[in-house]
Each structure stands twice: as C-alpha cells, then as structure tokens.
Amino acid sequence: MMTEQKKIPASLQRIIDRVKEVYAHDTEVQKLFENGFINTYETTLKQDGAGTFVITGDIPAMWLRDSSAQVRPYLTVAAEDREIASMLKQVIERQWKYILHDPYANAFNRTANNKGHQQDRTEMSPWIWERKYEVDSLCYPLQLTYLYWKATGDNTILHPTLKKVAEVIYQVWKVEQNHEENSPYLFERDNCRVSDTLLRNGKGGYSVKTGMTWSGFRPSDDACLYGYLIPANMFAAVVLEYAREMLTAMEETELANKVTALSREIKAGIETYGKIDHPVFGEIYVYETDGDGNVNLMDDANVPSLLSMPYLGYAAPTDQTYLNTREFILSRHNPYYYEGEKASGIGSPHTPDHYIWHIALAIQGMTAVERAEKDRILDMFKNSHGSTYYMHEGFDADRPENYTRSWFAWANSMFSEFILSEIGVYVPGSPLERQKGTEVDNRVL
C-alpha cells in the first residue's frame, strides 16, 4: 500500500488510545483499528490550491460517495479539532463544486486533466472521471454537510452555495421521477461487462412513475436491473429531510417546502411499490423495482443497501419490516449472501462469487441489536483481513488471503466506525447516535 508519512493529529491519536484501552486484551483489534482509522488520513487526502481532494485508494479519482464515507469517522473529533474540521469543510465544498459542474457524474478528477473514462458515450468533461448516474452520489454530500453542521455547529456551512446544490439535486430527482419522458441522461460504454453500461441505447432500466426517483447505477457502480433502487430512494428520502432542516435554518422556506414534499413523495413510492409479501419472511423490502410489477429480490454489500436502513436513518433497527428484510438478506434466499469457513455475509455481483465485503460486515455489526451477533462480526473481521491488517473490498469466505483491492479506504473507514460504535463513540447527529441504547447489551467486555 502506498502511504504518505503524516503526523497523526492529537485528536485522532486520542481516539486510537481509547480503543487500545478498551481492547487492552486484544492487540489484533488494536492494530486493525489503528490501521483502518488513519488510512484515509494518511494515504488519500491530497491538498492543493482548491482545498482537499480525496482519492479512493488505488484509483486516483474522487467519488462523491466514497469520499464522504472515508472521512465520516473524523466527524467524531471535528468539534475539538479545527484542522480536522477545516479539512472536512474543504471536502464538502469540493463536492459542491463537482455537483454543480455535473450532478449526473459519480467520480471526478483533481484537475481538468481528461483522465478516466473519456470514451464513454455520455456528456463527459475533462473534470469527470466517470459519469455513471447514481442517486446515492447526491445523497452522500448532503449527508456529510448535515453531519458536519451537527458535529461542529459551524453555521458558515449554511452558505448560498449549499442552496444552489440543494436546488440542483432537487431538480435532478424531480426530473428522474419520470425518467422515460423527461430525463436527458444517457450512458453507454463499449467493450465492457454488461453491468458497466446501460441498455436500451443508454436509457437504462425501465420504469413507470411511482413518486420514487430513478437511478442508472447502484453504489457498486453496476447498472441497475430496474429503474428504482429502493435503498438509494430510502437514502434520498432521509437526506431531503436533512436539506429541509438546513434550508429552514437559512430561512429558505420555499425550497425547504419543496424538498419536504419530494421526500414524502419518494417515501410514499417506497412504501407502495418497494415491498412484497414474501412466502417465507412476510413483508419485506425489495432491492429494485420498475414500478410496473417487476422486482429484484437481493441485497448488495455497498451502502446504501437494504441492510443499512437503520444506519441511514430510514427505519429503526427494531422495525418489523426491516427485521423481516434483514432475515431474508442474511440467508441463502439472497443470491449474494455467502457462507464460508472464515466468514458469512453479503457480497456483490461486482466481485467474484463467494466473496464477502467488509463494508457489509461493518453495516451488519452496526445495525445488529444483539451482543452475540456483534461479537460474531468482530471475530469475522479478525479472521478475514488476510494477515494484512487492513480491510478490503471483497474476500473469499473460505480463503481470505484471496481478496480484491488491497487499498480501499472506504472499507477501512467502515471498520473503524464499527469499532467506534462498539465503544460508544458515534458521529454527532447520525442515526446511530440517536439509536444508541437499542442494543440488548452493548458492553464490549
């Protein structure tokens, strides 16, 4: 793994020391946490005249989704550390600039250098690394902005540019409520896996109007089978409420009312078209639907996922439909749930068969309500890092030394957030913080 030697801020070191104290009996967890927690800080933050650029790790581009998730654990110290807070604000402001440049793009270059997938048949620009339209790419920056505001109390983040960003996101999601008739977005890629391009001459998954908003791709960057990705719409419904709260504080009442109405429309669409009565599990949420009777029953490791509903703030961890859905997706009825000698959990069609994702294990651990399940998740982390003491994208459930992406900062940040939740440290204002105490027994030792 490429690294840049940086002095670890005292605020982050105090978090590391606290974990070491709690896990004094487990040096493996200590090492895993320290490596994972500082991975984003040490290796992926690139400073330049425009602020802070965040690479994913082994790919030199900045994904709106990944960059948000990578820096999220540092919100836990943002109130006390001005330099960390400044870095987070720079990341947010850079995300805003990219969204205003093109809200349909998911990944961007550090400069207008024409890097990335410039041959794709869509409206590319030199700033864009990839232009796969994913609803979650617009959700994550709104979420990060809101959580930064809650963590720091810094009202300067309530800037006129934030209103512009919220307006652009609102307009895109309104247009994509009727993708077939109103959307300008097309995407095709040549000589690739079918999951890397959109069918129907770039129009993508078919959909009828439901109130939900259409997505071309999943958070895995794989094409959606059907136009309405339910977990992404759940995330959108939540962050629109975040936008309402921020816009209300800015006295932008008209736009606040509009985003509130859109959130309600999306949620009504989810609750009407995004559930089925399963013969084994009862009422469950589906992963995707076209709104015309076709559904995709599965879950993917990437967040937003159905498993992550409580983490996102869409449903309580004790909600019955969520629990039914959780039971389904953590069973062999989910085609991407794998069981092996070293671990069991959710993988993705994005990676090889029988490969489990560390991101999904972290989400499973943070949304579990029973101590025994959380303990099993921690054991699986310890058994699946392949002696690298870093987390990966996917790993073979039987032979964890076989894995994808040795330098994948999102996975390291997710693991560190799981450990932080285990010792009672939460991102201020996050659903996990509000839900703390719902576990049957949240003691580490």
Side-chain angles (χ1 to χ4, degrees), residues 356-362 381 384-385 390-393 395 411:
I356 295 167
W357 282 46
H358 283 125
I359 287 173
L361 289 180
F381 274 121
S384 63
H385 57 83
Y390 286 95
M391 299 304 152
H392 306 120
E393 182 186 52
F395 63 90

Side-chain angles (χ1 to χ4, degrees), residues 306-326:
L306 293 175
L307 186 64
S308 68
M309 276 186 259
Y311 178 81
L312 300 175
Y314 186 81
T318 54
D319 177 84
Q320 191 57 54
T321 305
Y322 171 69
L323 291 173
N324 294 347
T325 308
R326 183 186 183 90

Side-chain angles (χ1 to χ4, degrees), residues 44-187:
T44 70
L45 305 181
K46 309 299 179 183
Q47 303 296 324
D48 58 26
T52 303
F53 185 83
V54 187
I55 65 173
T56 67
D58 55 10
I59 302 175
M62 179 168 167
W63 264 254
L64 294 174
R65 170 189 53 253
D66 294 46
S67 60
S68 300
Q70 285 167 238
V71 301
R72 177 181 162 117
Y74 304 143
L75 287 163
T76 57
V77 303
E80 65 178 278
D81 190 322
R82 290 184 179 181
E83 289 189 11
I84 291 291
S86 176
M87 176 273 291
L88 291 166
K89 191 174 184 180
Q90 288 176 11
V91 171
I92 291 165
E93 290 172 342
R94 198 154 194 155
Q95 291 175 334
W96 289 354
K97 180 183 78 171
Y98 289 147
I99 290 170
L100 294 177
H101 178 75
D102 186 351
Y104 282 97
N106 59 321
F108 294 85
N109 293 313
R110 189 171 177 179
T111 62
N113 57 25
N114 274 301
K115 296 291 179 67
H117 299 273
Q118 295 296 323
Q119 302 306 311
D120 290 345
R121 295 202 298 280
T122 188
E123 296 181 17
M124 292 294 289
S125 87
W127 283 101
I128 297 173
W129 174 275
E130 188 172 58
R131 194 172 186 260
K132 289 180 172 179
Y133 174 60
E134 302 159 0
V135 168
D136 71 275
S137 292
L138 299 177
C139 294
Y140 269 101
L142 279 179
Q143 180 200 55
L144 183 62
T145 302
Y146 177 80
L147 293 176
Y148 170 85
W149 181 45
K150 289 299 181 181
T152 64
D154 178 8
N155 287 325
T156 65
I157 201 70
L158 304 178
H159 191 273
T161 305
L162 173 58
K163 181 191 175 185
K164 292 180 183 179
V165 170
E167 284 180 317
V168 165
I169 293 172
Y170 170 80
Q171 292 296 338
V172 168
W173 286 350
K174 286 296 291 184
V175 165
E176 296 302 336
Q177 284 181 306
N178 190 355
H179 175 74
E180 293 300 311
E181 295 183 14
N182 297 340
S183 178
Y185 178 74
L186 298 170
F187 181 95

Side-chain angles (χ1 to χ4, degrees), residues 135 173-174 177 210-214 228-241 258-275 283 285 289 309 312-316 319 321 434:
V135 168
W173 286 350
K174 286 296 291 184
Q177 284 181 306
T210 63
M212 289 184 285
T213 192
W214 178 93
Y228 297 121
L229 180 59
I230 298 301
N233 273 272
M234 291 172 168
F235 199 7
V238 171
V239 300
L240 284 167
E241 288 297 324
K258 287 181 178 180
V259 299
T260 299
L262 179 56
S263 176
R264 290 171 179 169
E265 290 171 15
I266 290 173
K267 187 168 184 178
I270 294 168
E271 296 302 313
T272 303
Y273 299 94
K275 296 190 290 190
E283 184 179 71
Y285 289 102
T289 182
M309 276 186 259
L312 300 175
Y314 186 81
D319 177 84
T321 305
R434 294 195 299 271

Side-chain angles (χ1 to χ4, degrees), residues 322-374:
Y322 171 69
L323 291 173
N324 294 347
T325 308
R326 183 186 183 90
E327 188 178 1
F328 161 76
I329 58 184
L330 293 175
S331 77
R332 293 183 180 181
H333 290 262
N334 174 12
Y336 301 103
Y337 177 79
Y338 303 118
E339 296 174 307
E341 292 182 9
K342 299 295 185 180
S344 60
I346 298 173
S348 171
H350 192 72
T351 45
D353 185 64
H354 209 59
Y355 273 50
I356 295 167
W357 282 46
H358 283 125
I359 287 173
L361 289 180
I363 289 294
Q364 184 181 347
M366 285 188 282
T367 57
V369 296
E370 295 182 358
R371 168 52 37 204
E373 184 175 6
K374 292 176 179 287

